[in-house]
Amino acid sequence: MSRIPQQLTMGVIIGNRGFFPSYLVAEAREQAIALFGRLGINTIMLDPSQTELGGVETRQDAKVCAELFRAHRDRIHGVVVLLPNFGDEKAIAETLRLSGLNVPVLVQAEEDNLDKMGLATRRDSFCGKISLCNNLRQYGIPFTLTTQHLCALTGEVFEQDLRRFEQVCRVVTSMRGVRVGAIGARPAGFNTVRYSEKLLERLGIAVETLDLSEVFTRIKTLRDDDIRVDEKRRILIDNADASRIPADKLVTMAKLFVVISEWVVANDIDTTAIQCWTSLQENLGINVCSIMSVMSGQLMPSACEVDVMGALSMFALASSNMNPASIADWNNNFGDDRDKCVLFHCGNFAASSLESPHMGTADIIGTTVGKENTCGAVHGRLKSGPVTYFRLSTDDLTGEIKAYVGQGQSVDDPLDTVGCRAVIQVPHLENLLNWICRNGFEHHVAMNHSASAEILHEAFTRYLGVSTYLHR
């Protein structure tokens, strides 16, 4: 089961400042309860019995709210700060510091009405937000801003901002403590997918390894009529039309699937990178592509050629929008159109992202190991629609983890080829490719159907400390 959280819980802080109208705090609390409930987001917030109207204004309020957050720290994915009036910037910043939370923070401030600028009704949140952000920066607390400096708590703008913030929180939560399974050795010819486990450890990411010899040994212990094998065989058949695949090949694939799945569960693995050629073809006579396709569809993405950073890129994408991610090569030009290119891989894309997916052989690898030994590759054209692409990389020369992200379109221009493929249109593609080459990124890129570039950029640059280039 994927560790990506589906329903999130937010800590909510409602700021207050004594010489501004306090009734606005009670009003904001009622509106917040209604909004978060309607969006299916759980909340942890003070009630009026704990502080005046459930707001945060004093050092004592900060201590009470921080204690509440600490009691629920394992549940809280992010904090939303609401400023119905100017608010007390120091009390809010101290709440976050005392809570010990290390989660994304969204700052919202309510707008004034020109006909309510008297002492009994004015808010001054416009100014209060600037003061709060100044203090958060002094305290070293990163935060996210709403699209507009001020926006109504009950308005569409804030609802959209909250939805985006929810995605940011999901990425940050998912990436902290993620565990990658590296199955098999990197193909000898693929220096491009080298990576640094030590740099990943700085981000709290662990890599567990499994040698293919252990996989082959475990497969030998499985009987053809084992109920686990039959279950995995049915899953593979349901994933893509397998009518062209011999029955014995499907059974072998199912056995491999059982071994991988049980190792993943036993080791709390979130995403995998597999040596997909040529040992599997030479020893088992199959491709692992269909298994990878299924796992990616289950939001436990799997990358080819032991591309650990590619697997992490897929996991980040999937966590941002709960859509299956796939990995492909930046592979071909598309005629003379410099803003279009072909993304391609043998057959690992998530089936739900493809038009009419079917299982076949991997003809390119088949030229060296025999086509009959490559059963299991998924074939299909990526559905048209918006696409986000993303790539993480470790750079030993600079000692940092870096990334790039952007958006484009999967288009339905004619393309006569095999495997998993897509024609992608990216604005200023030549500039992007130049940047990728100059900065030493790999030829693999993760992508899925979404418009999540700014979410990933916010999550990685602001909260995960990864320098991320946003291509526009």
Side-chain angles (χ1 to χ4, degrees), residues 132-323:
L132 172 59
C133 292
N134 175 280
N135 275 255
L136 293 178
R137 191 169 186 276
Q138 289 186 50
Y139 280 53
I141 299 171
F143 55 90
T144 295
L145 296 173
T146 49
T147 304
Q148 298 173 181
H149 184 64
L150 299 181
C151 55
L153 181 56
T154 57
E156 183 178 341
V157 170
F158 180 65
E159 181 172 330
Q160 292 176 351
D161 284 337
L162 186 56
R163 282 296 194 195
R164 284 190 288 268
F165 182 68
E166 189 180 15
Q167 291 179 273
V168 170
C169 293
R170 189 174 282 115
V171 173
V172 173
T173 300
S174 300
M175 293 304 296
R176 286 177 174 159
V178 63
R179 293 174 58 80
V180 191
I183 302 175
R186 169 181 57 81
F190 273 62
N191 281 356
T192 184
V193 296
R194 287 172 170 174
Y195 69 99
S196 170
E197 288 191 47
K198 293 181 179 179
L199 289 180
L200 289 179
E201 193 63 45
R202 287 187 195 172
L203 206 60
I205 295 173
V207 180
E208 293 291 327
T209 60
L210 177 65
D211 192 82
L212 282 183
S213 63
E214 297 180 59
V215 173
F216 298 149
T217 299
R218 296 178 193 183
I219 286 176
K220 291 176 182 177
T221 67
L222 291 172
R223 293 167 51 94
D224 289 2
D225 60 355
D226 190 306
I227 189 171
R228 295 168 296 172
V229 174
D230 185 59
E231 177 192 22
K232 296 300 185 187
R233 184 184 65 84
R234 292 177 183 276
I235 291 173
L236 291 168
I237 291 173
D238 289 341
N239 184 61
D241 178 11
S243 58
R244 310 176 196 181
I245 305 300
D248 61 325
K249 298 288 187 180
L250 282 170
V251 169
T252 303
M253 276 184 263
K255 289 181 178 180
L256 175 59
F257 199 176
V258 169
V259 171
I260 291 174
S261 297
E262 292 184 348
W263 180 78
V264 162
V265 171
N267 291 276
D268 291 328
I269 301 299
D270 300 302
T271 182
T272 53
I274 302 176
Q275 181 190 341
C276 53
W277 58 279
T278 57
S279 182
L280 288 174
Q281 290 78 13
E282 293 168 348
N283 285 280
L284 299 180
I286 59 169
N287 263 38
V288 70
C289 303
S290 287
I291 298 170
M292 299 167 78
S293 172
V294 171
M295 291 193 293
S296 294
Q298 295 172 340
L299 303 185
M300 300 180 68
S302 189
C304 312
E305 292 139 2
V306 202
D307 183 1
V308 165
M309 299 309 296
L312 287 168
S313 304
M314 296 167 73
F315 187 72
L317 257 178
S319 68
S320 71
N321 48 63
M322 306 298 286
N323 281 337

Side-chain angles (χ1 to χ4, degrees), residues 7 12 19 28 47 57 88 117 131 146 181 184 198 256 269 306 415 440:
Q7 188 173 41
V12 180
F19 48 80
D47 64 48
E57 181 179 4
D88 189 290
M117 296 294 286
S131 297
T146 49
K198 293 181 179 179
L256 175 59
I269 301 299
V306 202
L415 178 66

